[in-house]
Amino acid sequence: MEQEVDPAVLAVINEKRLMGDKRTPVEIIAKMGVFDARQKASDQAWLATGDTVIATVWAEFVSIDATGRWFCLESLDPQLRPGGGERSALHIQRAKDRIQLLKRSRDSGQGFRAVLQTNRVAIAGLETDKAAKVSMRVPDDQPWQVGSWDADRKVAVLLRGAEAWEPSEADMAAAWSRGSVPVAPPVAALDDVSPESVRAAAIDYLTRHFAGYGYKANVVDDPQSGYDIEVTDKKGATLLKLAVKGTAGNITGFSLSAQERADALRGDPWRLAVVSDAIGPAAQHKLYKPAEIDQAPGLEPLLD
């Protein structure tokens, strides 16, 4: 759904549509060179004229790094659907065809063209909800490429742009929580996660959580602020100011800064938001009112 898409990604899609690119999903891939597009409309990747690989990129799965570059994690496991669970025989075949074409793109070093699209319902129901359907689809003007390809972990990284680059550890950790890959990072990796990667994953989880309910979650970049996310309604009214903390792997505790404690003393709408298993597949959160923060598991006591 649009509410699950990063605002910067959604802005690009909407701009393309406002510029008059309002063709149907079938017409779009047909114009890009897909032969017999109507019969192949439900595929997730195509080999177009000129041996050009075209692949769908669900906008809900796209992450953006600190410098504004887009990427998303790609599952290389055709048997399991995003978020986990066995695929149907039809979806298994479509996944195999897509993986084969992405591998072809990577081996050739030519990259691929992407069509950005959103789902009509929550992306978690992409292959299980009967109402799931492409809501919007636009061709991306920027080239994409397949970056890393890890056959052991069954995951690849799709990168937007022609230049080679790699997402940071923190950005990768946050991307895991978007649900495009049905497996969690290996336990060995969780034993060595950094506080920065856990915090990034916790913030990403909460922004998507509130967006799924139609609220806007604005990330506050000011290090002197006493909160990390401001949640507003459709009219822009502030509902919550969240000081975000996360736990995962070897990161089991956290502390509150002096500014966070000062903001807590001011009361509503400040809340402490603790995301447990922030990097894993079972991330969950709990909000604590200012008077309840000492009850939060993992909160380190103030030093005298």
Side-chain angles (χ1 to χ4, degrees), residues 278-299:
I279 294 179
Q284 55 184 325
H285 74 283
K286 185 173 181 179
L287 303 185
Y288 296 87
K289 296 179 180 179
E292 302 170 338
I293 58 176
D294 290 331
Q295 303 172 19
L299 176 62

Side-chain angles (χ1 to χ4, degrees), residues 5 9 13 29 43-46 53-63 70-74 98 102 112-119 123 126 134 136-140 142-146 157-160 180:
V5 181
V9 178
I13 294 175
I29 60 173
D43 290 354
Q44 298 298 306
W46 306 268
V53 173
I54 300 172
T56 59
V57 173
W58 289 102
E60 292 89 340
F61 291 149
V62 175
S63 297
W70 299 11
F71 72 98
C72 64
L73 301 185
E74 176 76 20
R98 176 182 173 90
L102 289 174
F112 65 93
R113 294 199 63 190
V115 285
L116 302 172
Q117 57 190 37
T118 59
N119 196 19
I123 197 64
L126 179 61
V134 174
M136 293 190 295
R137 173 183 285 176
V138 297
D140 193 359
Q142 294 293 319
W144 283 70
Q145 59 179 302
V146 181
V157 181
L158 308 185
L159 307 171
R160 188 177 190 242
S180 61

